[in-house]
Amino acid sequence: MTILNLDDSKKVTDYQQFVCENPRGQVTQDPLWGELKSNWGHIYVYHETDGKIDAAMSVLTVEAVPGKLLAYVGRGPVADVEDIDLIKSMINEALTALPDNVFLVRMDPEVSYSDALNQKYLDAGFKTRNKQVKHMHGNIQPRKNVVLYYDGRGEGAKPITNEDELMLHFKPKVRNDIRRAFRDGVTVTSGDSEEDIRALFDTYVSMAKSHGITHRPIDYFLRMQKLWAGTGLFRVYLAHYEDQVIASGLGFSYGDEIWYMYAGSYREFGKHNAPAAIQYEMLKWGLELGKVEYDFGGIGEFDNSDGLYKFKHEFAYHDPHAEYIGELDWVIDESGYQEYLKQFE
């Protein structure tokens, strides 16, 4: 087990390549994510077999209670989470390099929940936060997601190998919405330029205001663009109508997955169904790359009482619900941990 030396450019490249190409790789485990989170500390742990990296753990730190640090392994580690000895050894290696005031190491790998895996972590001394957490925002990352599986999972689903099969995977209403968008003259472009990001940001802010929710600042997205532009791992999709951008989407391509992360739209153009056209084009991106999954992101509940589910599920109604293991907490300072949990009550 080794701490990544950020001055060793070859090893950093090897680490990033592993995180990008491993089937369960995640953008949040790429050191670039640590650079994006400029107000967080960061260290990176890896394990090798025969000189090749086969497990990676990106650990970001931030003050989460006064004077104490949360060490967060976002959507990670990229490792066999069934091998708890390996996971614990990676945590122990991380703790040798982390500050002394870390009160918690928290992981939330994107692996399916099971009673057996949950119990395995409890027996190993972890605390877990999954089914007992009832609210979508009771975890750092939502535990319930809508995912389209290109390999044809779920009742009535077939493998998706071309655009016609992709369209047939959707509910009829979605097919009609997409066709309506294109009949109305909506066109969709993709790119990774600063101009693309600024156009996305304008729609993102408009949507946030219409829903009465907060949003990230423009500088966050500009840093993102500078870090990932030209990598092929990041795309911004823009829907245009009469020379104006009216909707947008942003996604990352890591491992077997496209992760749809941010979006925006102008409510006054809602009748043109541009968000549906955006999703169709982004899903085609995953199809072109031979991905296994397209992650629409988190929801609150697996039913139509949840507006996010209602929109996303129409694209993936064949697909099984994606319910993840949740948070696997290695507690170092119990008093700090209990203080931290109060904000999620």
Side-chain angles (χ1 to χ4, degrees):
M1 214 65 62
T2 311
I3 302 293
L4 180 65
N5 177 4
L6 295 175
D7 292 326
D8 184 341
S9 59
K10 182 182 183 307
K11 189 56 69 175
V12 170
T13 297
D14 290 346
Y15 187 101
Q16 289 182 299
Q17 184 175 357
F18 172 77
V19 170
C20 290
E21 296 179 358
N22 184 274
R24 300 318 309 167
Q26 292 286 344
V27 61
T28 47
Q29 287 293 291
D30 189 327
L32 290 177
W33 194 259
E35 293 186 48
L36 176 66
K37 300 289 186 178
S38 57
N39 60 325
W40 293 58
H42 49 263
I43 65 164
Y44 308 96
V45 181
Y46 63 92
H47 178 269
E48 289 184 311
T49 300
D50 298 328
K52 291 189 176 181
I53 295 176
D54 56 12
M57 177 185 283
S58 166
V59 187
L60 304 186
T61 56
V62 70
E63 186 175 289
V65 297
K68 297 180 180 180
L69 298 177
L70 162 70
Y72 180 45
V73 185
R75 280 291 189 244
V78 184
D80 178 4
V81 296
E82 297 277 355
D83 187 346
I84 295 188
D85 288 340
L86 171 66
I87 301 304
K88 288 180 75 170
S89 67
M90 295 183 81
I91 290 173
N92 288 332
E93 183 68 21
L95 288 171
T96 67
L98 288 170
D100 292 338
N101 61 336
V102 167
F103 69 91
L104 167 67
V105 178
R106 167 168 286 178
M107 308 178 297
D108 55 7
E110 197 174 84
V111 296
S112 296
Y113 174 86
S114 72
D115 289 339
L117 183 60
N118 185 62
Q119 191 60 52
K120 196 172 181 179
Y121 272 89
L122 291 172
D123 292 344
F126 288 79
K127 298 188 179 185
T128 65
R129 301 183 72 252
N130 38 59
K131 287 189 173 293
Q132 75 272 36
V133 178
K134 301 304 182 184
H135 192 271
M136 175 181 177
H137 301 294
N139 300 106
I140 295 177
Q141 295 281 355
R143 202 175 64 81
K144 299 174 181 178
N145 285 39
V146 172
V147 177
L148 181 146
Y149 297 95
Y150 294 96
D151 57 1
R153 302 179 199 180
E155 185 176 353
K158 297 178 181 178
I160 301 169
T161 63
N162 57 55
E163 293 178 17
D164 290 338
E165 291 170 351
L166 177 62
M167 185 69 84
L168 289 172
H169 193 83
F170 310 148
K171 281 191 173 181
K173 178 184 179 299
V174 171
R175 295 178 221 159
N176 291 334
D177 287 348
I178 294 167
R179 290 169 181 144
R180 167 67 186 273
F182 294 136
R183 281 199 307 270
D184 285 358
V186 172
T187 59
V188 179
T189 60
S190 66
D192 62 5
S193 70
E194 180 178 331
E195 182 181 6
D196 294 324
I197 278 290
R198 289 187 181 277
L200 174 140
F201 184 76
D202 289 343
T203 65
Y204 165 70
V205 170
S206 177
M207 187 175 70
K209 287 180 177 177
S210 68
H211 288 285
I213 58 177
T214 59
H215 60 81
R216 291 190 180 277
I218 183 64
D219 288 348
Y220 181 82
F221 292 95
L222 292 175
R223 286 201 308 274
M224 184 183 291
Q225 186 272 331
K226 286 182 173 61
L227 288 166
W228 274 278
T231 65
L233 302 170
F234 159 83
R235 280 191 189 179
V236 177
Y237 282 76
L238 302 174
H240 306 257
Y241 178 73
E242 294 185 347
D243 299 322
Q244 179 177 348
V245 173
I246 63 171
S248 63
L250 183 157
F252 284 94
S253 166
Y254 276 73
D256 279 349
E257 179 182 272
I258 298 292
W259 185 1
Y260 162 63
M261 191 174 289
Y262 289 101
S265 62
Y266 292 115
R267 178 172 285 181
E268 59 265 36
F269 292 98
K271 69 179 181 180
H272 299 298
N273 301 317
I278 289 282
Q279 288 303 319
Y280 179 55
E281 295 299 329
M282 293 184 72
L283 283 156
K284 283 165 59 178
W285 179 31
L287 181 62
E288 291 162 9
L289 294 178
K291 297 294 185 179
V292 177
E293 302 177 14
Y294 180 98
D295 189 342
F296 287 89
I299 57 169
E301 297 296 336
F302 291 117
D303 61 55
N304 285 337
S305 68
D306 184 297
L308 289 171
Y309 175 83
K310 188 174 182 179
F311 173 73
K312 297 172 181 180
H313 183 244
E314 290 183 336
F315 293 88
Y317 75 103
H318 285 294
D319 301 277
H321 293 158
E323 184 173 353
Y324 299 129
I325 189 63
E327 290 162 348
L328 308 173
D329 290 350
W330 186 254
V331 179
I332 298 153
D333 176 347
E334 183 66 30
S335 64
Y337 183 59
Q338 293 304 321
E339 181 67 22
Y340 175 63
L341 290 181
K342 289 178 183 178
Q343 64 187 285
F344 297 101
E345 293 175 353

